[in-house]
Structures are given as structure tokens and as C-alpha cells.
Amino acid sequence: MKVSITLLTPLVCLTLVASSFAQGDVLDSLSNLTSKVQVDSIGGAEVIDLEQGVFRYSDNVHIKYEGTEIISDVAEFNRSTGDIKANGNVSIYREGILYSGESAIYNIESEKIVSDNLKSSVVAQGKELFFQTDSLNTQIGENDNVEVIDTEGTLLTTHDYAIPNWHILADELDIYPDDRVVFKDVTFYAKGVPVMWLPYLAQPLDDELGYTFAPGWDSAWGGYLLNRYGSLIGEEKKLLAIFHLDLRTERGLAGGIDFKSAKHRDNPNLTGLKLYYANDLSPETTRNSNNNRANDQLPETNRYRVNLQHRIYVSGYDESIAIEDAGTDGAYRKRQFTPRDDSFYLNFDINVLSDGYFYEDFFPSEFRIDPQPDNNIELVKRFDYSEASLLGRFDINEFFQTDTRLPEIAYDTVRMPVFGGRVNYEGTSSFGIPEEIPPGGIGARTTDLTGSIGYNRLDTYHQFSRAFQLFGFLNVVPRAGVRYTNYSSATGDTVGFDRVLGHFGVDTSFKFSRDYDSIQSRAFGLDGIRHVVQPYLRYSLIEGDDIPNDFQGIDDFVASTRPRPLDPTQFTAIDSLASWNIVRLGVFNRLLTKRNNGSIEWLSFNTYFDTFIQDPEFDRDFSNLYQDIAWKPLPWLRFNLDSQFPLFGGDASFTEINTRVTYMPVPSSEISLGHRFLDSHPFLQDSNQVTIDYFQRIRDNWGFSIRHRWEFDDSTLETQQYSVHRDLTSWTAALGAVIRDNRGVKDYGLLFTLTLKEFPQFNIPVNLDPQGSSN
């Protein structure tokens, strides 16, 4: 039977009295101790050293001391030292963490555990860490949460196998479950083979923190090694700092630092402050044959970028701790910052470059997305149905063509009910001082702008609409609005002028449907079909003052292949807005099918065209015929087509076909084909481009992927990418190569990655688009 220490106490007291009265102090101490330490065992208690207060318990021992429980075959308790020595099938449970081994010593005063091979695991930031240690001490913080686990002589891994395929041995290892792991005298092992030693490493558990390095080779950079280290700095750890040190054999040494507020770490558009400097050894090297740099266009060797994408909420923030779900691995704590009022904020978008070639030379991906970044500061206040803003746009980079706003004040109202909800109102008003400034300096792009143009502009538009139904099926939404625009202090012969434009429009549509329950096809994911047909007509009339012939606008039309919006509230090219009279006719077809206790859109196709009673751009009677198709029959099959054809002819007619199909014939293969065809557009260059993406898994652990892009219009294979992937259970490895034909100058790249799955920051990142490490 089980015997409790509280029941043994009287027997022990009799023994102590019979032996010596001098042992009374030990009796008092032991009596005080039993109120905190509770012991259950089948074999009972044995006095080992009465003077030191040493007792042994055997056979299924269960010891409880405050928040700690110890279970073992045999245990020995020493009152004078506070040590509990447990042997045989030892389990120690403390603050939600279970430790197990064959033997361990737990001290009730220091709460330290010493063992030859104590094993445990802990969930830290959603990642489960398995470790085996010789010595362990747990520090408990507020709310009884584990703040740090201090260990000595420790093996750590994320591979939950008896013989892990990777592990780390550290003389000292401290685990901070909500923050980082700190190693001292650490050796990394792969398949039992030591691969790296470091005297010290502090590895954060956050994916943005810690050290990463990316080696590779690129024809414009030569061999390169991009190094990055992220850390939270400051007493309250509210600022993320990422340090960069990059070596490119053709370009030289470069580096910088990024600062990002922890308040915005979940917002990819608010990247904080980025500082980057390069001492360029080869500023004449270019990736583009169209940018053959003459001596007067060569950048200096000192090149840099300063970027600030940041938001300040005027009301400040409230800080809290959120519990994040980590799936089967449990949960972990995460700091959250919530603005007290998210409707009032100040946005910064500042991009200062040393020259117009910097992005192209050091950050080619950013160059392709936004080759001429703006510089804006904007104060925004949002209301229930409206938004007020104050914008300043500046000409900081003289080598870019820039339209400044010094300043621009705007007030926009989204559609809102008025007059008791019977009518909707929406509108926009703004006053600004825009100016278009031509480029100049190193890296300036060619432009048709010969000199600066600018003016003061007051613009306001107000529109009312109402939705109702006729005959029980016909949906009708009439709209009416008026726009007033005033230009003053304009450059050129026109000193200033006013414009008044009136708008009337109406949207009409109706729906009818039919069910085909007998149509069944498991292969194409069909469980009956509902065919919904929606014919529609949109009419828009704008009439008013014309733009003077000698006026040069700033917010003008931008060349596009898509039809212009017919609603003036969506029309941003204010300076190009002219009288028009347009009817848009179309039919929207949808095929719905039943799936997962609901319905999904199996196929949709929208067919429409514009009839021009008055064309604001060209002298057309009809637009192209537009056809937009989306087919998603199965999770592994998708097809999209956006096309337009010059069915009705006309001088400004052109043809465009954009298609994309993605198909996974078997779970181990996926292929994606894309085609872009553009012919005879009045402004845009002809194109006949085909893109192929293919991935093939070979066995369970190997795979390869290919990406090709051809431009058949000039017979150029623009991009070739090849990658080989290897799954190493806890690690993934990839080797990739890329070739780009820039029509005269070819780019070559070779990259390698080795990534630890549970610690993505332990990696050599693969990136078939070489970038500076500041991204």
C-alpha cells in the first residue's frame, strides 16, 4: 500500500526522541518541511542519515513540491541540502514541461535539475524543440510562465527521432520560449558529422531574426555572399534591426541596416527605414544593352539608397500579449500592438537614390516592379463614409520624371445613403498644386517632356444614384453628377480656365437561371449545374466644357489595353476627362455546381463591348469585343482567358489574348502555361510571349522545376530557370540556375539553398532573382 510522508511523521518523531533530545532541531526542521513536500510511495520511507535528515523512498515514488512533481522508482531526499535524488524511470513535471530520464537530482531551493541524460521538449514560437541535457534550471516569470530554461551539456534538435539527422551540441544552452535560443561553445552536426563550430550564437525564434547568408554567382555581380543578421533592439524590444554585409566580386563591398517597428511587422507594405551603401568597383557594368553608359552618365563609385515606408498612428498604440495557435504543437505568446484609433495616421513613402541606375544594378526585382519610386508624405483621417487626406509629393531624385504635389488636399466620400436611405451619394473634392518635372542627371530616362508644367487645380465631383426594380425583375440604377474644375496659374499661353461637366448614367440588368441536375461528372467535379445568365447595359454621358487645345495636363490617360471606367468616381485621369457618350452592352454567364454542402462557381464568362455615340479618345463607333473567362472545375485544374478582338473594325482596333492554364495531372507533377498576345495596339509594343512553369517530384525526396519565357515577336528566349530540390527530412536543399536575355546583354546566375524546416532562418536562401540582402 502507499505510505504518505505525513503519516510517517509521528513514527519519525518517536525515533528521534528515543535516540536523543539533541536531535530536536532536526525534528522541527523536518516537521516544517513536510508541510511543503508530499511523498507517496508503496515501499515506504527509510531513514538513511538522521542527523542530516536524509530519507529514502522506494517502489513507485511520487513527490510533490509546490508546482513540481517527480515520479521515479527510487528517490532520496536530503533536508540539509534540499536535494531530491531520483533514479529509475524518472519523470519531472514543472510548469507545463515534462522532463524524463534514468536519473536526476532536483534541488527544491534553487529549482535546478542535474542529470546525465535528461530529455524534454518545449514549444517556442510555434516550433517544437527537443533537447537532452546534463543540467537544467527553469526560471519562472509573471503569470507562472517559463521565461528561460538554462541548460549545460545540451543536445538540441527539431528532428523527433532516436538518431536525429541533425543536431546541435552546446556547452551551455539557454532557451527563451517566446524569444530566442542562446548557445555557447556550439557545434552543428549533420548525420552525426560535425559541420560547423561557433563560440557563441544567439538565434532568435522569429523568422525575420537571426543570421542568414546567401552565396551565389551572377554575371553582373560575379561571385557574391549576401549576409544578414536580424535582432530586436532597445529595452522593450520594439525595434527590429536587420544588418547587411554583402560582398560582390565585380562590385565590391556593400552593406547597410534596416529598422522596422515591431508594431508593423505584419504589414508587408510598411518596411520601415532602409539604409544601404555600396562602394561600386564597376559602375559601368549594366544588365541592359539599352543603357550603354557614356562617361557623362557613369554613376559615381559611392552609391546608396535611403528608403522609409512607415506609418504613425496619431493616437498611439496599446500593447498586449496574444496567444497564437501553433496547431498540434500547442500555442505560444506573441506581442501585439493595436492602434487606439486606426482612422488617423501619417504615412511616409520616401525613396532617395544616389542615381537612376542604382535599383537596376543592385536590386533588379525592385527595379522591374517600380523603377521610378515616388516620394510621398500623407496625413489621412478616415470617417464612417469618407476620408480626408493631405498629400505632399516631392522631387527628390532629379533623374526621374516626377509629378509633385505641394501640396494636395482631398476629401472623398464613398457611396452612402441620404434622404432617409432612398438615395445614395458619393463624391470627391481636391485642391492641389501639381507640377511635372522632366528628368536630368545620371540615369535619367528619355522623355517627351521638354520643360516643367504646373498649375493650381481645384476639382470637385458629386454624384447621386438610386437603385430600384421594374416589373419585378429588371434592376435599374440611374446616376447623375456634376464636376467643376478650376485651373489657375497654368504655364503656357493659357493663364487659367474653368470647366463644368455634367454626367448622367444608368445601369440595368436582370437575371434568369435554369438547373440541370442530371449533369454529373466526377472527373470534372460536376454535381448538377445551375446556369445563371445576366444581360446588362451600362450607359454613360458626360457633357460640358472642352479642354483648351494648348493645355498640357499632368493626370492624363495612361496607355492601357483595358476599357476605361464609365463611372466618373473611378476615373483618375482628371486632366484628360472629356465629353463622351457610351453604351456598354454585355452578358455575364455563370455555371454553378454543388460541392462540400454549398455551391461553387465552376465556369464564368463575361462578354461585352462599347458602342460610342461620342468617343473621347479615338473616332470609333465600336470598341473591341471583350471576352473574360474563368474556369475552375477542380482544385488541380484552372484556366483563365482575357481577350479582345476587333470584331467591328476601326482605325484604333487591336487584338489581345491573355491565357493561363495550370494543371496537376498527378500529385507529383504540375505544369502551368501562359500566353500573352498583343497586336496592332496604337501605343503599346506588339508581343507574342509564352511562359512555361513545370515542377516534377522524383521519388519522395527529389524534385526539379523549370521556367521558360519566350518572346516570339523578336525570337528571344528571355528567361531560363532551372532548379533541383532535395528533401533531407529536417532540411531542404536546392540548386538553381538562371539565364536572362536582355536583348544584347545576358544575365547568368547560380544559387544554392540549404534550409532547416523548423528554423527557416537557419538557411542559405535560394532566389533565382538575385537581390541585395536588404530585402
Side-chain angles (χ1 to χ4, degrees):
M1 67 178 180
K2 293 185 179 180
V3 180
S4 171
I5 192 171
T6 56
L7 299 177
L8 291 174
T9 302
L11 300 177
V12 174
C13 291
L14 292 174
T15 305
L16 293 174
V17 172
S19 60
S20 174
F21 181 79
Q23 306 295 332
D25 291 341
V26 176
L27 176 63
D28 293 338
S29 299
L30 181 59
S31 178
N32 293 333
L33 181 64
T34 56
S35 63
K36 295 183 179 181
V37 178
Q38 298 179 2
V39 183
D40 288 334
S41 68
I42 295 177
E46 177 185 355
V47 178
I48 302 301
D49 187 330
L50 187 62
E51 183 177 354
Q52 296 295 323
V54 180
F55 300 88
R56 176 182 293 166
Y57 305 88
S58 60
D59 198 359
N60 195 16
V61 182
H62 186 182
I63 302 175
K64 295 182 180 179
Y65 174 72
E66 294 186 340
T68 302
E69 294 188 41
I70 303 173
I71 299 175
S72 63
D73 293 340
V74 179
E76 194 173 281
F77 175 63
N78 188 321
R79 171 64 186 91
S80 61
T81 63
D83 286 340
I84 298 176
K85 297 180 180 180
N87 290 279
N89 299 313
V90 177
S91 295
I92 301 176
Y93 184 81
R94 175 168 172 76
E95 303 300 336
I97 301 176
L98 177 65
Y99 310 92
S100 60
E102 283 302 310
S103 63
I105 300 175
Y106 176 75
N107 187 275
I108 63 175
E109 296 179 1
S110 66
E111 299 182 344
K112 183 176 182 180
I113 303 174
V114 178
S115 174
D116 291 336
N117 60 352
L118 194 67
K119 299 178 181 179
S120 185
S121 68
V122 61
V123 176
Q125 292 280 23
K127 303 174 178 67
E128 188 167 12
L129 310 178
F130 303 94
F131 61 90
Q132 176 179 312
T133 183
D134 294 340
S135 174
L136 180 145
N137 188 22
T138 304
Q139 298 180 21
I140 308 301
E142 297 180 0
N143 302 320
D144 294 330
N145 291 312
V146 177
E147 286 192 346
V148 59
I149 301 173
D150 298 321
T151 70
E152 297 178 0
T154 305
L155 179 152
L156 181 140
T157 183
T158 58
H159 191 210
D160 188 15
Y161 280 75
I163 303 177
N165 61 15
W166 81 274
H167 67 272
I168 298 171
L169 284 180
D171 185 57
E172 295 183 25
L173 187 150
D174 300 333
I175 301 174
Y176 298 80
D178 294 318
D179 190 5
R180 64 194 185 277
V181 181
V182 177
F183 307 85
K184 295 180 181 178
D185 190 10
V186 55
T187 304
F188 295 81
Y189 290 81
K191 296 287 187 180
V193 178
V195 295
M196 184 170 61
W197 173 86
L198 292 173
Y200 176 88
L201 175 65
Q203 184 60 52
L205 297 166
D206 193 300
D207 292 350
E208 285 192 87
L209 306 181
Y211 173 67
T212 66
F213 58 100
W217 179 86
D218 179 72
S219 57
W221 290 353
Y224 62 84
L225 179 63
L226 310 180
N227 300 276
R228 159 182 162 158
Y229 183 80
S231 177
L232 289 171
I233 61 176
E235 289 186 5
E236 299 184 355
K237 306 292 184 183
K238 294 182 180 180
L239 186 63
L240 169 64
I242 300 177
F243 302 89
H244 307 275
L245 184 63
D246 303 334
L247 176 63
R248 303 172 178 89
T249 58
E250 293 293 326
R251 295 283 187 180
L253 193 64
I257 184 172
D258 304 343
F259 295 102
K260 184 174 182 178
S261 172
K263 305 179 183 69
H264 304 305
R265 292 184 60 190
D266 295 332
N267 189 332
N269 297 317
L270 300 177
T271 56
L273 175 64
K274 293 183 177 183
L275 307 173
Y276 194 83
Y277 169 81
N279 183 18
D280 193 355
L281 302 179
S282 184
E284 71 281 357
T285 302
T286 176
R287 298 177 182 272
N288 192 340
S289 61
N290 295 325
N291 289 338
N292 293 322
R293 302 171 187 177
N295 290 331
D296 59 348
Q297 284 289 301
L298 280 181
E300 297 181 359
T301 57
N302 296 318
R303 309 180 68 183
Y304 58 85
R305 67 182 286 181
V306 179
N307 305 95
L308 176 63
Q309 282 75 39
H310 187 58
R311 175 175 294 176
I312 298 176
Y313 287 98
V314 177
S315 62
Y317 299 84
D318 289 323
E319 183 179 348
S320 61
I321 300 296
I323 304 300
E324 295 288 332
D325 185 10
T328 58
D329 291 333
Y332 62 95
R333 295 183 298 165
K334 181 180 179 181
R335 296 173 72 182
Q336 284 189 341
F337 299 89
T338 305
R340 298 187 183 99
D341 179 8
D342 63 359
S343 67
F344 194 20
Y345 53 86
L346 184 64
N347 280 339
F348 294 89
D349 182 13
I350 304 298
N351 304 276
V352 183
L353 305 179
S354 59
D355 56 82
Y357 297 126
F358 184 82
Y359 271 13
E360 180 182 351
D361 291 345
F362 289 92
F363 301 93
S365 284
E366 291 189 41
F367 173 75
R368 280 189 288 273
I369 295 172
D370 188 9
Q372 300 186 29
D374 289 324
N375 287 275
N376 302 315
I377 298 178
E378 184 178 27
L379 181 65
V380 178
K381 173 61 180 176
R382 290 188 288 105
F383 305 94
D384 290 340
Y385 290 97
S386 60
E387 179 179 282
S389 62
L390 174 62
L391 172 68
R393 180 176 297 163
F394 312 96
D395 179 27
I396 295 178
N397 301 311
E398 63 175 4
F399 32 81
F400 294 150
Q401 180 172 323
T402 306
D403 62 291
T404 63
R405 300 288 195 273
L406 298 173
E408 183 175 81
I409 304 171
Y411 186 81
D412 300 314
T413 303
V414 299
R415 188 177 298 124
M416 60 178 293
V418 295
F419 305 123
R422 295 187 297 272
V423 178
N424 291 320
Y425 164 79
E426 56 191 313
T428 178
S429 299
S430 65
F431 173 78
I433 309 175
E435 182 179 7
E436 189 86 7
I437 302 173
I442 297 174
R445 294 333 193 238
T446 57
T447 178
D448 296 332
L449 189 64
T450 57
S452 297
I453 57 173
Y455 40 77
N456 304 327
R457 183 181 65 203
L458 171 66
D459 179 75
T460 183
Y461 178 74
H462 305 274
Q463 177 175 286
F464 294 89
S465 62
R466 183 185 179 186
F468 58 92
Q469 194 174 74
L470 295 176
F471 314 116
F473 72 93
L474 182 62
N475 301 307
V476 181
V477 183
R479 304 184 308 273
V482 62
R483 170 171 249 118
Y484 170 76
T485 308
N486 172 267
Y487 296 88
S488 61
S489 302
T491 59
D493 297 332
T494 303
V495 176
F497 61 93
D498 298 282
R499 297 184 67 205
V500 178
L501 296 171
H503 172 249
F504 173 75
V506 60
D507 296 344
T508 63
S509 68
F510 64 94
K511 294 181 181 179
F512 57 91
S513 64
R514 183 173 179 178
D515 293 340
Y516 301 89
D517 294 332
S518 61
I519 298 179
Q520 302 284 327
S521 174
R522 184 178 181 85
F524 288 96
L526 285 173
D527 183 9
I529 285 181
R530 170 170 291 179
H531 183 194
V532 181
V533 182
Q534 183 180 7
Y536 60 89
L537 179 150
R538 301 196 66 190
Y539 174 71
S540 180
L541 169 67
I542 290 182
E543 193 63 50
D545 299 325
D546 294 330
I547 301 174
N549 293 330
D550 59 351
F551 175 74
Q552 284 186 283
I554 295 176
D555 291 326
D556 286 329
F557 282 139
V558 176
S560 173
T561 63
R562 304 306 296 170
R564 305 295 184 184
L566 299 184
D567 188 344
T569 60
Q570 301 173 9
F571 199 91
T572 58
I574 299 173
D575 299 334
S576 293
L577 189 61
S579 298
W580 71 46
N581 196 349
I582 305 172
V583 179
R584 181 168 295 170
L585 294 167
V587 179
F588 187 30
N589 286 269
R590 302 169 65 210
L591 298 182
L592 309 178
T593 190
K594 290 177 286 187
R595 191 174 298 171
N596 298 328
N597 298 321
S599 63
I600 66 162
E601 189 173 83
W602 189 79
L603 172 67
S604 68
F605 46 101
N606 187 15
T607 307
Y608 59 97
F609 67 93
D610 289 342
T611 298
F612 296 103
I613 303 171
Q614 183 179 359
D615 186 358
E617 294 182 77
F618 311 103
D619 188 18
R620 295 173 294 180
D621 294 323
F622 299 97
S623 72
N624 286 341
L625 178 67
Y626 299 94
Q627 179 72 73
D628 301 334
I629 299 176
W631 184 42
K632 297 175 287 184
L634 300 164
W636 53 89
L637 178 60
R638 301 184 301 276
F639 174 79
N640 292 89
L641 182 146
D642 298 328
S643 63
Q644 52 182 306
F645 301 95
L647 188 65
F648 308 104
D651 294 336
S653 299
F654 61 93
T655 301
E656 181 186 32
I657 305 173
N658 294 318
T659 58
R660 169 69 66 176
V661 59
T662 301
Y663 178 48
M664 185 182 291
V666 292
S668 60
S669 301
E670 182 177 87
I671 185 169
S672 180
L673 301 174
H675 181 221
R676 180 179 185 268
F677 178 80
L678 183 63
D679 182 56
S680 302
H681 191 278
F683 301 110
L684 301 178
Q685 185 176 357
D686 289 351
S687 177
N688 186 9
Q689 187 181 95
V690 174
T691 303
I692 297 178
D693 294 280
Y694 179 70
F695 174 80
Q696 177 66 53
R697 191 176 72 226
I698 307 171
R699 299 180 180 176
D700 291 335
N701 299 323
W702 285 93
F704 71 88
S705 59
I706 298 173
R707 178 179 174 83
H708 282 178
R709 187 173 68 216
W710 287 274
E711 178 54 71
F712 288 101
D713 193 66
D714 60 1
S715 302
T716 301
L717 180 55
E718 294 181 334
T719 302
Q720 304 174 64
Q721 292 182 188
Y722 308 93
S723 298
V724 178
H725 312 270
R726 177 73 164 97
D727 191 334
L728 301 172
T729 308
S730 295
W731 300 78
T732 57
L735 178 66
V738 60
I739 303 172
R740 284 195 178 88
D741 189 338
N742 296 314
R743 291 168 176 78
V745 176
K746 286 189 176 182
D747 277 346
Y748 300 90
L750 183 66
L751 302 101
F752 175 70
T753 181
L754 185 65
T755 303
L756 180 59
K757 293 178 182 178
E758 293 299 327
F759 280 89
Q761 64 272 26
F762 282 141
N763 76 92
I764 308 169
V766 73
N767 183 352
L768 292 181
D769 194 356
Q771 275 291 339
S773 65
S774 65
N775 286 331

